[in-house]
Amino acid sequence: MLFQAIPFILRLGTASEATLISLLAARCKAIRRLLATDPKTSESEILSKLVAYTSDQAHSSVERAALIGAVVMRKVPTDEHYSVREEMLRKMVEEDKAAGLIPFYFCATLGTTPSCAFDRIMELGPLCNKENMWMHIDAAYAGSAFICPEFRPLLNGIEYADSFNFNPHKWLLVNFDCSAMWVKKRTDIIGAFKMEPLYLKHENQESGLVTDYRHWQIPLGRRFRSLKIWFVFRMYGVKGLQAHIRKQVALAKEFESLVKADKRFEICADVVLGLVCFRLKGSNELNQNLLKRITKSRELHLVPCQLSGRFVLRFAICARTTESRHIQQAWCHITQLSFELLQEQPH
Ligand code: PLP
């Protein structure tokens, strides 16, 4: 089974924790490396020059990790597909290095929150490796889809990553909370967080037989999250989980074709997995009003986003029991409310 085959996976509670841990480990690694090469410098001097990067589409938890880690985080602009490309990051890194700063960390996203966009890690990875920047991959939502071979090309370039995280609790039928983090070199994490007071010493410590996950995370105690993952895997099997993902992607495609067939609406981002970004052709205000009506009706719950300055509605399929008839009903409901709204608009 997946999690038995890869023993050094840390089961955390959230993707936010994983990002924070990777950033703190990267910070510690960079400081140690720079102190070793230039003993005249100080930890505080290095810290004041460190710069981290992430996409302008990244989840707010990434920016928050930098806030907690007390480092500057710069947002890299994205292309027309809302993906970070190598030349965009390279330009910022070069500018910062010329200004005497020290780039040390890049958080790529596979499956951004606003539109489920994918940063081009195949291009970005070699740059990060060359510049000694830790590359963390936040695949909180989309990571579950990689259980299907047809989505794995989106993972091309993963070999350059220092850490990777996804939330089985988002889309792999595991109950909240469960976030799985993989680290290329576990000594990077352990080196950053290891504390060994007398009251936590134990006989197996030096034998290498026990993986002491307390050194990998912020809390000392741990929940037994692998047990519930194991039960889900036993219940559904790989085929069952693949069928679940494929069905939901197909439902998203079904919704996308309904939107595309209606000239009053537009699709606002590529539909790759279970998220459809769409809007009424017209002003942001019009779409805000549509969302208000949808929310007020209490039939559907949509969370909006801003894409290229436009207010966009997000139709996310994630409930295990969603069927085609729900998609049809939802669309019927949205078009009915849109019809009423458009009727009221001054012509
Ligand atoms: N990263 C991405 C891409 C997300 O979509 C989300 C939540 O939606 C998060 C991080 C935060 O996840 P968590 O609640 O597990 O910290």
Side-chain angles (χ1 to χ4, degrees):
M1 269 195 309
L2 185 64
F3 286 83
Q4 281 171 353
I6 312 169
F8 300 118
I9 285 224
L10 177 63
R11 268 80 72 175
L12 298 165
T14 65
S16 309
E17 271 173 270
T19 305
L20 175 62
I21 286 173
S22 67
L23 182 126
L24 295 179
R27 190 184 77 171
C28 177
K29 192 177 179 183
I31 290 174
R32 285 186 188 163
R33 179 174 52 81
L34 292 160
L35 281 176
T37 51
D38 179 7
K40 284 203 286 304
T41 186
S42 68
E43 193 167 327
S44 56
E45 192 186 340
I46 297 169
L47 195 57
S48 68
K49 293 183 183 164
L50 292 179
V51 195
Y53 304 84
T54 196
S55 155
D56 62 10
Q57 301 292 308
H59 190 265
S60 58
S61 54
V62 181
E63 206 177 338
R64 195 183 225 193
L67 203 66
I68 300 171
V71 291
V72 171
M73 171 142 315
R74 293 191 66 196
K75 294 208 181 147
V76 188
T78 46
D79 68 7
E80 70 279 15
H81 299 286
Y82 304 107
S83 310
V84 175
R85 307 296 303 261
E86 191 265 356
E87 70 262 30
M88 296 156 178
L89 179 61
R90 185 164 31 86
K91 193 166 166 285
M92 290 179 94
V93 167
E94 280 167 6
E95 270 168 28
D96 289 342
K97 276 172 49 183
L101 300 175
I102 308 167
F104 80 106
Y105 176 87
F106 171 61
C107 177
T109 313
L110 294 182
T112 59
T113 313
S115 67
C116 198
F118 293 80
D119 290 340
R120 301 296 189 93
I121 54 170
M122 191 68 186
E123 300 174 3
L124 293 157
L127 173 70
C128 292
N129 288 186
K130 180 175 149 265
E131 297 290 345
N132 266 320
M133 288 162 64
W134 181 297
M135 182 163 83
H136 174 67
I137 297 183
D138 174 11
Y141 160 72
S144 298
F146 302 136
I147 199 162
C148 301
E150 65 271 30
F151 296 120
R152 283 195 208 136
L154 293 165
L155 262 184
N156 286 348
I158 186 75
E159 61 276 21
Y160 298 106
D162 294 283
S163 51
F164 171 89
N165 176 259
F166 84 106
N167 285 3
H169 74 228
K170 274 207 198 306
W171 207 20
L172 210 60
L173 299 174
V174 177
N175 278 355
F176 187 82
D177 60 1
C178 186
S179 190
M181 181 181 187
W182 168 88
V183 195
K184 184 173 268 169
K185 262 178 82 186
R186 59 189 176 131
T187 46
D188 287 341
I189 295 263
I190 298 169
F193 302 123
K194 200 165 185 171
M195 288 271 155
E196 298 206 284
L198 191 55
Y199 48 81
L200 291 176
K201 284 201 185 297
H202 56 84
E203 282 174 8
N204 291 320
Q205 208 150 301
E206 308 305 332
S207 69
L209 293 172
V210 176
T211 304
D212 241 334
Y213 283 113
R214 70 185 158 98
H215 300 309
W216 295 49
Q217 59 179 27
I218 296 164
L220 171 63
R222 297 176 48 72
R223 297 186 57 201
F224 188 9
R225 296 188 179 92
S226 35
L227 185 64
K228 62 185 176 184
I229 301 179
W230 184 78
F231 273 113
V232 169
F233 284 5
R234 288 296 302 267
M235 266 179 72
Y236 290 89
V238 173
K239 288 205 160 38
L241 292 170
Q242 288 171 335
H244 158 70
I245 298 284
R246 287 178 182 138
K247 180 176 169 187
Q248 301 219 330
V249 176
L251 291 172
K253 296 277 178 198
E254 181 179 336
F255 186 81
E256 180 191 24
S257 19
L258 291 167
V259 178
K260 278 184 166 166
D262 190 324
K263 297 266 177 292
R264 297 169 299 173
F265 289 88
E266 59 186 328
I267 292 287
C268 307
D270 301 336
V271 178
V272 183
L273 300 176
L275 178 70
V276 185
C277 291
F278 73 107
R279 71 198 298 278
L280 272 169
K281 289 175 186 162
S283 67
N284 283 349
E285 198 190 348
L286 181 70
N287 282 284
Q288 279 156 359
N289 286 336
L290 174 59
L291 182 63
K292 271 188 202 146
R293 289 185 188 212
I294 293 172
T295 309
K296 200 162 163 228
S297 74
R298 301 174 75 99
E299 292 284 321
L300 286 176
H301 183 69
L302 303 186
V303 175
C305 73
Q306 190 98 23
L307 288 177
S308 312
R310 296 189 311 166
F311 186 88
V312 168
L313 308 184
R314 292 163 69 261
F315 189 86
I317 293 150
C318 38
R320 186 179 56 84
T321 49
T322 307
E323 298 291 343
S324 173
R325 67 174 192 282
H326 301 119
I327 304 301
Q328 298 293 334
Q329 280 164 11
W331 181 242
C332 221
H333 185 64
I334 293 169
T335 48
Q336 178 59 36
L337 293 179
S338 303
F339 174 75
E340 289 164 17
L341 179 66
L342 291 170
Q343 287 286 306
E344 293 166 19
Q345 298 303 302
H347 294 289

